[in-house]
Amino acid sequence: NAGVMQNPRHLVRRRGQEARLRCSPMKGHSHVYWYRQLPEEGLKFMVYLQKENIIDESGMPKERFSAEFPKEGPSILRIQQVVRGDSAAYFCASSPTTRSQETQYFGPGTRLLVL
Amino acid sequence: QQQVKQSPQSLIVQKGGISIINCAYENTAFDYFPWYQQFPGKGPELLIAIRPDVSEKKEGRFTISFNKSAKQFSLHIMDSQPGDSATYFCAPGIRAGGTSYGKLTFGQGTILTVHP
């Protein structure tokens, strides 16, 4: 079962540290999306990437957050100098390289806790 | 700015009953209307989706009804089972074109509890 993989599943960081979240899309998928879910809320879009390109980053905070999807390897969501408000579940989704790009398959998420 | 509103926030149904969850949207550019199911500690999983050229789609016990003029779509779960207890999200999106291409806009979620 080669679904979307995310790691780590849980991540604890102290304020000011860096958090790196990794996402491996499903086999054959070259479109990756990152979403953030705060407790008791729905998912909020952050960024949409294709291999080596950022397509839409309209949901990304202007500072401290960055994302990449290199030619080789997983997509990375990087949060620098984390603050307590960054505590959330971060989900990655992928979609195939076909016209049905709206069908997004989600990973299990990374739960980030900032102390 | 709330583009997508779900109701109710929570729903309790007896086993065998019908669960109905509604979603209202504002953005007329949406042309893809999925429902996702999420269990605690897991990622959302696509349940069923509809395109705007049809008014209803049924897959097993799950049905989407779509009303384009009212800008609403709903999820109906027939013969609800305890295993259906989860959080349900509508997440309309745009298939192609424009700056919102590929992005899903999630509702706030509906917590469904099905009692045995």
Side-chain angles (χ1 to χ4, degrees):
Chain A
N1 181 9
V4 178
M5 298 176 65
Q6 290 187 250
N7 66 80
R9 294 291 307 276
H10 299 273
L11 183 61
V12 179
R13 285 287 179 265
R14 296 192 181 279
R15 281 179 297 170
Q17 292 184 320
E18 178 180 288
R20 279 182 178 245
L21 288 60
R22 288 176 290 277
C23 169
S24 296
M26 288 179 69
K27 186 176 181 180
H29 289 193
S30 64
H31 302 260
V32 166
Y33 313 81
W34 286 93
Y35 293 82
R36 176 166 62 178
Q37 185 176 32
L38 295 172
E40 311 300 325
E41 293 188 12
L43 282 72
K44 296 287 194 292
F45 169 81
M46 299 182 74
V47 62
Y48 164 33
L49 309 102
Q50 294 179 18
K51 283 287 187 180
E52 301 184 277
N53 288 304
I54 296 175
I55 306 302
D56 181 356
E57 56 181 349
S58 59
M60 287 278 273
K62 299 299 182 188
E63 299 178 350
R64 303 187 297 109
F65 285 72
S66 62
E68 62 177 8
F69 188 18
K71 186 177 181 181
E72 300 292 338
S75 175
I76 305 287
L77 179 67
R78 182 184 178 201
I79 311 172
Q80 295 177 292
Q81 300 175 330
V82 296
V83 300
R84 287 201 175 132
D86 297 333
S87 296
Y90 291 82
F91 291 96
C92 165
S94 72
S95 64
T97 53
T98 70
R99 293 188 63 187
S100 299
Q101 290 174 4
E102 69 276 9
T103 305
Q104 297 182 18
Y105 300 89
F106 283 80
T110 294
R111 273 87 183 156
L112 172 65
L113 176 63
V114 179
L115 302 177
Chain B
Q1 183 182 4
Q2 184 58 265
Q3 289 194 47
V4 178
K5 289 186 178 180
Q6 253 182 267
S7 60
Q9 283 188 305
S10 62
L11 180 62
I12 299 175
V13 174
Q14 291 297 123
K15 179 182 176 181
I18 301 174
S19 305
I20 301 174
I21 305 171
N22 301 298
C23 187
Y25 62 93
E26 298 175 1
N27 189 347
T28 55
F30 288 145
D31 59 0
Y32 172 66
F33 303 92
W35 284 95
Y36 279 84
Q37 178 189 59
Q38 185 180 30
F39 293 103
K42 305 290 186 183
E45 188 170 337
L46 179 65
L47 194 61
I48 187 172
I50 198 169
R51 304 264 169 89
D53 51 342
V54 297
S55 60
E56 186 173 284
K57 181 178 181 179
K58 183 176 181 179
E59 290 183 357
R61 296 185 294 110
F62 303 95
T63 300
I64 290 184
S65 296
F66 178 68
N67 186 330
K68 186 174 182 179
S69 60
K71 293 187 287 185
Q72 294 180 350
F73 63 110
S74 60
L75 174 68
H76 296 234
I77 305 175
M78 311 299 287
D79 187 26
S80 299
Q81 300 296 313
D84 296 331
S85 297
T87 301
Y88 292 81
F89 294 97
C90 61
I94 300 171
R95 284 176 291 165
T99 58
S100 296
Y101 177 45
K103 175 170 64 177
L104 298 177
T105 301
F106 278 76
Q108 309 94 306
T110 297
I111 300 173
L112 172 65
T113 303
V114 181
H115 286 316

